[in-house]
């Protein structure tokens, strides 16, 4: 849907139900109310925080129903849902029966763009989304473009499209949840970084998860960027309905073919956006310009570079943007060295695919793992990293699943199983890892699981690890 058509939507008096109080629901309710819609917010929870949020919205004229997120309010013409609400909720079944459309906050932002709105360069994938989008924003800024990292991170998408600041282009991170609820999104160019089982409890199947990821390519106008090492991402490009002239652009850690970006002798090169891609390659940056230069992070940099080049960014800006980029905390972050052992915090590795990338970056490793498995299996992960493991320390609610995989595929590796799920377990985990490690080893916390069994989020888990490591380092100094 074009921006001109979108901007002419008449919200005055339109009955809209917003599903969920929270980081997306509250801004959506306020924006829609400000546009003249009759807004009702429904929320599953009825706790103290929800009541305080509801009171603020009611004071502004928004209706709020707490403790009942399953009943469709009468007269509802549209639902705008928080991305985390599962598609099988009774609310959505009732909406389908009543012919009421369901949008996510991303869809709402897309529909509210005004004429001449900034195009979107969109990124999804099981892992690496945030890093890639932030790299992309850094490259775009180095090219002198007004930009922001938005979507699942950074600036709110609604703020970005409705705020006073005018952008030239937006770097947009999109989760599978957000894509599920974004039927009319049409990006300038988009990338799917990788695909591995994740959030299957939400999507219901791997096929449904992959299909939602593939929505990001629909209607692309310039480039669909895929991972040459992950055939499933290329399959999604082949299946996408794109604008005429839109190109498939691959990225690879090896030597690139025509219409690909890749690596040659420590140099990131472009054989896609050059005059003669059969015979020409354009140098973009050195591997050393990528921070940190772990293999999966180089892949992130290539994907970011591909999207930037699709938008017409010059090679020098790719180099300068990558040099200026600093990774977020808890993403393969060096914490300290103590007793000749390096301690790395990759608390963001909340699934097996992310942990696999981390484990491939170091050798030998004492691995700290465990948490909430989210339906994952660990056999393939353990098989792939077994030869790198000096030892393993397990913690968290679903640690038995990893222990059983280790018993099957790495029976010779010593395992410490911490039978406690209090937050203080992290200090013991670090001490046990230090006991197993030898000088030259890396103690790597890449849990391969979510954190919510013991911590508020992966950030708090990473902070607990870093605090425990620093305390240990201070003792041994």
């Amino acid at each position: 849907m074009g921006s001109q058509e979108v901007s002419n939507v008449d919200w005055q008096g339109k009955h809209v139900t917003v599903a969920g109080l929270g980081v997306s629901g509250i801004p959506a309710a306020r924006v829609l109310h400000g546009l003249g819609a009759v807004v009702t917010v429904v929320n599953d929870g009825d706790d103290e925080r929800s009541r305080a949020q509801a009171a603020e919205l009611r004071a502004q004229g928004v209706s709020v129903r707490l403790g009942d997120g399953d009943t469709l309010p009468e007269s509802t013409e549209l639902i705008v849902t928080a991305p985390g609400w599962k598609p099988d909720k009774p609310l959505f079944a009732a909406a389908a029966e009543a012919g009421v459309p369901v949008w996510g906050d991303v869809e709402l932002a897309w529909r509210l763009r005004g004429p001449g709105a900034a195009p979107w360069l969109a990124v999804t994938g099981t892992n690496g989304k945030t890093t890639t989008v932030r790299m992309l924003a850094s490259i775009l800024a180095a090219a002198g473009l007004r930009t922001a990292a938005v979507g699942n991170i950074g600036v709110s998408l609604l703020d970005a499209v409705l705020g006073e600041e005018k952008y030239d282009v937006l770097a947009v991170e999109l989760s599978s949840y957000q894509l599920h609820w974004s039927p009319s999104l049409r990006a300038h160019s988009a990338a799917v970084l990788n695909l591995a089982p994740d959030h299957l409890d939400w999507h219901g199947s791997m096929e449904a998860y992959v299909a939602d990821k593939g929505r990001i390519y629909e209607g692309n106008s310039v480039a669909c960027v895929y991972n040459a090492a992950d055939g499933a991402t290329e399959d999604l490009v082949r299946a996408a309905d794109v604008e005429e002239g839109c190109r498939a652009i691959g990225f690879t850690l090896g030597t690139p073919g025509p219409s690909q970006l890749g690596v040659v002798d420590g140099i990131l090169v472009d054989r896609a956006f050059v005059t003669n891609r059969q015979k020409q390659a354009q140098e973009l940056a050195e591997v050393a310009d990528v921070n940190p230069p772990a293999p999966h992070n180089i892949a992130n940099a290539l994907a970011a570079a591909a999207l930037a080049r699709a938008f017409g960014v010059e090679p020098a800006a790719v180099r300068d943007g990558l040099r200026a980029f600093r990774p977020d905390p808890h993403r393969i972050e060096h914490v300290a060295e103590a007793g000749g052992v390096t301690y790395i915090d990759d608390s963001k590795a909340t699934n097996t695919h992310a942990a696999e990338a981390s484990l491939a970056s170091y050798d030998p490793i004492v691995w700290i793992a465990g948490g909430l498995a989210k339906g994952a299996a660990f056999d393939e992960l353990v098989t792939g990293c077994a030869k790198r493991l000096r030892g393993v320390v397990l913690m968290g609610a679903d640690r038995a699943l990893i222990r059983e995989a280790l018993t099957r595929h790495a029976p010779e590796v010593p395992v410490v199983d911490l039978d406690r799920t209090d937050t203080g377990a992290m200090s013991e985990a670090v001490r046990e890892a230090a006991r197993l490690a030898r000088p030259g080893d890396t103690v790597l916390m890449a849990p391969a699981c979510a954190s919510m069994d013991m911590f508020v989020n992966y950030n708090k888990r990473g902070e607990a690890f870093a605090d425990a490591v620093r305390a240990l380092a201070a003792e041994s100094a």
Side-chain angles (χ1 to χ4, degrees):
M1 184 178 288
S3 58
Q4 190 65 45
E5 184 182 346
V6 168
S7 63
N8 290 335
V9 171
D10 183 9
W11 294 97
Q12 197 66 40
K14 194 175 183 72
H15 287 257
V16 182
T17 294
V18 173
L21 287 164
V23 293
S24 63
I26 291 172
R30 287 177 175 153
V31 165
L32 289 163
H33 177 70
L35 291 168
V38 179
V39 180
T40 302
V41 178
V42 297
N43 195 61
D44 286 334
D46 187 10
D47 53 22
E48 188 176 338
R49 183 163 182 257
S50 298
R51 288 192 287 273
Q53 292 170 325
E56 282 188 34
L57 286 173
R58 285 173 181 144
Q60 296 168 31
V62 174
S63 299
V64 184
R65 298 185 186 182
L66 297 176
D68 183 14
D70 287 339
T71 305
L72 182 69
E74 287 183 26
S75 305
T76 299
E77 298 170 79
L78 169 70
I79 293 175
V80 175
T81 181
W85 282 42
K86 294 173 72 170
D88 61 1
K89 276 188 74 69
L91 175 70
F92 302 133
E97 192 172 328
V100 173
V102 181
W103 299 356
D105 60 320
V106 170
E107 178 74 10
L108 179 63
W110 179 255
R111 302 250 191 168
L112 289 176
R113 295 166 310 127
W120 292 13
L121 301 176
V123 177
T124 196
T126 304
N127 295 297
K129 296 184 292 295
T130 299
T131 298
T132 302
V133 165
R134 290 189 62 240
M135 283 178 170
L136 174 58
S138 184
I139 292 168
L140 295 169
L145 295 163
R146 294 168 299 173
T147 190
V150 299
N152 226 17
I153 59 165
V155 178
S156 150
L157 255 175
L158 281 171
D159 287 345
V161 300
L162 296 175
E164 291 183 7
E165 185 163 358
K166 299 303 177 191
Y167 296 103
D168 297 313
V169 58
L170 293 173
V172 188
E173 177 186 338
L174 296 173
S175 70
S176 55
Y177 300 171
Q178 290 170 318
L179 286 162
H180 179 88
W181 302 118
S182 301
S184 72
L185 170 66
R186 301 291 183 264
H188 172 286
S189 298
V192 179
L193 303 175
N194 42 60
L195 291 165
D198 199 19
H199 304 302
L200 302 191
D201 51 344
W202 193 94
H203 291 276
S205 69
M206 183 64 181
E207 290 74 21
Y209 171 66
V210 170
D212 280 334
K213 289 291 194 189
R215 287 180 180 227
I216 202 167
Y217 289 136
E218 289 299 312
N220 282 196
S221 58
V222 176
C224 295
V225 177
Y226 68 92
N227 184 347
D230 189 335
T233 65
E234 188 174 6
D235 291 342
L236 290 178
V237 176
R238 294 184 196 283
D241 184 9
V242 300
E243 287 192 15
E244 190 173 346
C246 183
R247 295 172 57 200
I249 306 296
F251 63 90
T252 173
L253 293 176
T255 302
S259 293
Q260 291 186 340
L261 281 73
V263 182
V264 178
D265 296 332
I267 305 293
L268 275 59
V269 298
D270 172 3
R271 284 191 68 188
F273 302 99
V274 289
T275 308
N276 182 355
R277 54 183 180 268
Q278 297 299 327
K279 298 180 179 178
Q280 254 185 318
Q282 171 66 55
E283 180 177 327
L284 298 175
E286 295 182 12
V287 166
D289 294 324
V290 180
N291 181 21
H296 63 289
N297 211 39
I298 296 166
N300 294 336
L302 288 164
L307 289 171
R309 294 286 282 156
F311 197 69
V313 167
E314 293 297 319
V318 175
R319 178 200 64 208
D320 294 345
L322 290 175
R323 285 179 179 174
F325 170 75
R326 294 292 176 269
D328 282 346
H330 317 302
R331 288 172 167 80
I332 49 176
E333 182 179 11
H334 181 281
V335 176
E337 287 188 21
V341 176
T342 301
Y343 291 80
I344 302 292
D345 166 14
D346 197 13
S347 184
K348 184 63 172 70
T350 57
N351 55 51
T352 56
H353 190 262
E356 180 183 17
S358 259
L359 289 160
S361 302
Y362 304 98
D363 189 16
I365 298 164
V366 177
W367 180 28
I368 299 177
L372 288 176
K374 300 182 294 182
F378 297 91
D379 293 85
E380 190 174 333
L381 174 64
V382 169
T383 302
C385 72
K387 292 180 181 178
R388 296 171 176 266
L389 298 177
R390 175 83 68 198
V392 180
V393 180
L394 297 175
M395 59 194 297
D398 292 331
R399 64 190 183 280
L401 296 173
I402 306 176
R403 185 181 65 238
E404 290 159 9
L406 286 161
T407 300
R408 286 191 288 271
H409 306 293
E412 72 290 348
V413 175
V415 177
V416 177
D417 189 327
L418 298 183
D419 187 16
R420 54 188 286 195
T421 55
D422 60 290
T423 52
M426 185 62 79
S427 182
E428 185 180 351
V430 168
R431 290 180 181 278
E432 289 293 342
R435 183 179 61 79
L436 292 169
R438 301 178 193 172
D441 288 0
T442 297
V443 170
L444 173 65
M445 186 187 63
C449 293
S451 59
M452 287 79 75
D453 56 333
M454 295 170 60
F455 301 93
V456 173
N457 52 39
Y458 75 82
N459 293 294
K460 293 297 183 187
R461 178 170 62 186
E463 289 166 13
F465 173 76
D467 288 346
V469 168
R470 291 185 188 111
L472 182 75
E475 289 173 15
S476 60

